[in-house]
Each structure stands twice: as structure tokens, then as C-alpha cells.
Amino acid sequence: MKDADPTTTPARPSAVAAAPVLTTVVPATGPAAGNNNVVLNGNGFTGTTAVTFGPKAALGYNVGSPTQITAIAPSGTGSVAVTVKTPGGTSNAVTYTYAAAPSLTAITPSQGPSSGGTTVTLTGSGFTAATAVTFGTTAATSYTVNSPTQITATAPPGTGAAPVTVTTPGGSTGPVYFFYLSAPSLITLTPSQGPSSGGTVVTLAGSGFTGTTAVIFGDTAATSLTVNSPTQITATAPPGTGAAPVTVTTPGGTSNPVVYTYAPPPVITGLSPAQGPTSAGAGITLTGSGLTTATTVRFGTLPAAFTVLSDTAVVALAPAAPAGPVLVDVITLGGTSNALPYTRLSPPGI
């Protein structure tokens, strides 16, 4: 037997590469259509020759380091096993789930003020794990996923017709529109005052009255209202006192206020003089309160010419009538006063 050459180094066996290890897939859920980026974390990724999602190869991948790969998911359904293949073998599998695309079918209500703040209910399907609700390009102020078929969201400020979409790991819905409305504008009230007992029919003029839900006098709703057109409303004033700001509320918001004044009921405390001739023209001063808005002074059933001096005094010219007593009262926008007697005296005989 020939002796071994002491200068020769013995051959070493070839090293065998270890199979890669896959620890996480981020995100672990994606749209059924695929084409989204997925980050694979683990080790032993050097020399990767394939990344598969179930039976399908990734649409592309990039080995960023021995511990991370970025892959483009193919299309798919359900839950599939993701694996990485290198010269050392095939990794363990980590589950990746294809989520169905969400669908948005309705928004209730479908309109609200441009200032935002409307709470809307979104109805559809596939809402589980929703990551965003947007109105146009603006995110909802807040949203709550109530179930796979319902979301409650708060509309942000906006204008015009805003496409609303819901985004989930499965993709984004097609848009359903939410319409931003401008607040109404109130210009005039006719008449602008009436009795504290209410009941006055008031015509409101302005703009944006379509869809009016309320007309408020101070803190009290109108007894009734009719929207005649986008620029006119007829409302019945409720009982009230003093100066009451009137506003109109629509889905677009609440209008500016215009003041409606409740006139106090008139009271007569004295007539001076309390008697006069049967002929017309005798001047009588009526004193009391709440007389500013006087519209009529009556001697019995006969109207008299009059002048309002102040809230507490009116001068009237007694009309002609036979001798005897007659009751005098005043009608104002606040109602009809109490009556006091005025006596006509016959002229002296010759």
C-alpha cells in the first residue's frame, strides 16, 4: 500500500444550505384581485428562487436582505399558504387570507350641511376590518363598524356631491354619493310682530328653504308651517313674549335669525275727558299700556281717527253718535284691550 502524501490536504465534504424560515407575512390579508405589496419576514432568504401564494407564484418579489422579501401578491380567494424557496429547500408555510372586496349600497341620510357633523349609516357588505371611510378626498370625522353590513360614520365638512367609499383589506367600494347642502338664509318676516297668544300667520322670505324641517320662534316651534317654495314659508307663530329670534332649519343647517316681536296685550286705564258732545271731532286721550302698535280705536262699533303718542297714550277723535254711554277699546298687534265707558251728552235746550 502506498503511503499517503503528507503534503496533501484531505477533501472536505460540501456544506448543505439550510431551508429558509418564514415567520410573518405583513399584511396577512389582502384583496382578492391581488397586485398589493406583502412583506415576508424570516431568515435564510439569500438566493430565493420562488415565492408562492398557495398554488400561484408571486407576481414579483425582491429580496431586500437575508431576513426580508417584498412580494407582489397574485389574485386568489380564501386562505392560502405562503412559502419561500431557496437552494436550501422550501420554507414552512404562513397563512395569507384573501378578503372579499367590500360593497357600499346606500347612505342614510344622503345629504347634510356643508359644515359636516351629520351622522350617516352606510349599508353594504364586507365591512369587517374597514380601515377608512372617506367623503370625497376627506376622511370621515369618525366611524364605527357595527357589523359586516353596516357602518356608522360622521360626515366631515364639504361641498357639493361627495363620493363616499369604504376601504378594507379587501379593497375599496365603488362610490355612493353624499350631498352637502348650504344652510338656508332668512331675510324678512311679514308681519314681524304679533300677539303674545300666538296664532299670527307669518310669511318668511329668503332662500334654501327646500326640505325645511322646522321653523323656531325663540325656543318654540311654529304651530304649523308650509314650504311654499325654496324662497318662501308660511308659518303660524306660537305663543311667546318679547323679541324672539326666528330661524329655519333644513338638512343644510340652520339659518340666520330674524327677530319677531311679541306685542303685549293693550290695557286702557283712563279716558280724558270721559264725556263729550254727540257731534264728531271731540278729542279724547286714552292712557294705558301696550298701545304702540294700535291699529284701531273703537267707540262702540264705530272706528275713530287716532294718533299714537307713545306706548302709554293715544289721542282719538270721537265719531258722532246719539247721546248716551258707549264702550271705548283699542285693538293692537297684541290683541284687544279692555273697554272703558265714554258718555255723549245731548246739547242743552233753548
Side-chain angles (χ1 to χ4, degrees):
M1 176 181 294
K2 183 178 179 182
D3 293 334
D5 185 346
T7 63
T8 301
T9 302
R12 296 179 180 177
S14 299
V16 177
V21 174
L22 183 57
T23 55
T24 60
V25 174
V26 182
T29 304
N35 205 40
N36 55 301
N37 288 334
V38 178
V39 176
L40 287 65
N41 297 300
N43 58 69
F45 295 159
T46 301
T48 293
T49 57
V51 174
T52 58
F53 288 70
K56 293 186 176 182
L59 299 180
Y61 64 87
N62 177 65
V63 180
S65 72
T67 61
Q68 189 175 86
I69 296 172
T70 301
I72 301 174
S75 60
T77 58
S79 296
V80 298
V82 179
T83 59
V84 176
K85 185 176 182 180
T86 71
T90 300
S91 72
N92 57 298
V94 171
T95 300
Y96 178 83
T97 301
Y98 286 100
S103 173
L104 178 58
T105 56
I107 297 176
T108 306
S110 61
Q111 57 186 12
S114 57
S115 59
T118 303
T119 299
V120 298
T121 299
L122 285 65
T123 303
S125 61
F127 292 161
T128 301
T131 57
V133 174
T134 56
F135 288 67
T137 58
T138 307
T141 303
S142 65
Y143 68 90
T144 300
V145 180
N146 304 317
S147 71
T149 61
Q150 187 184 86
I151 292 175
T152 301
T154 302
T159 58
V164 179
T165 58
V166 176
T167 300
T168 72
S172 295
T173 64
V176 173
Y177 284 86
F178 179 82
F179 298 91
Y180 284 102
L181 305 176
S182 298
S185 174
L186 182 56
I187 301 173
T188 60
L189 306 175
T190 306
S192 61
Q193 50 189 351
S196 56
S197 59
T200 302
V201 176
V202 181
T203 299
L204 290 71
S207 62
F209 293 160
T210 301
T212 292
T213 56
V215 172
I216 306 296
F217 287 69
D219 297 323
T220 307
T223 304
S224 65
L225 70 91
T226 300
V227 180
N228 304 318
S229 72
T231 62
Q232 186 184 86
I233 295 172
T234 302
T236 302
T241 58
V246 179
T247 57
V248 176
T249 300
T250 72
T254 300
S255 74
N256 57 294
V258 172
V259 173
Y260 178 84
T261 302
Y262 284 101
V267 176
I268 301 176
T269 57
L271 300 179
S272 181
Q275 58 186 16
T278 57
S279 58
I284 310 297
T285 300
L286 291 73
T287 56
S289 62
L291 305 179
T292 300
T293 60
T295 57
T296 304
V297 175
R298 298 183 298 187
F299 283 69
T301 59
L302 298 177
F306 68 92
T307 300
V308 176
L309 301 180
S310 69
D311 191 62
T312 60
V314 172
V315 173
L317 299 178
V326 65
L327 291 176
V328 180
D329 61 12
V330 178
I331 299 173
T332 72
L333 294 180
T336 301
S337 74
N338 58 304
L340 293 181
Y342 175 79
T343 302
R344 291 185 176 88
L345 304 174
S346 298
I350 298 177

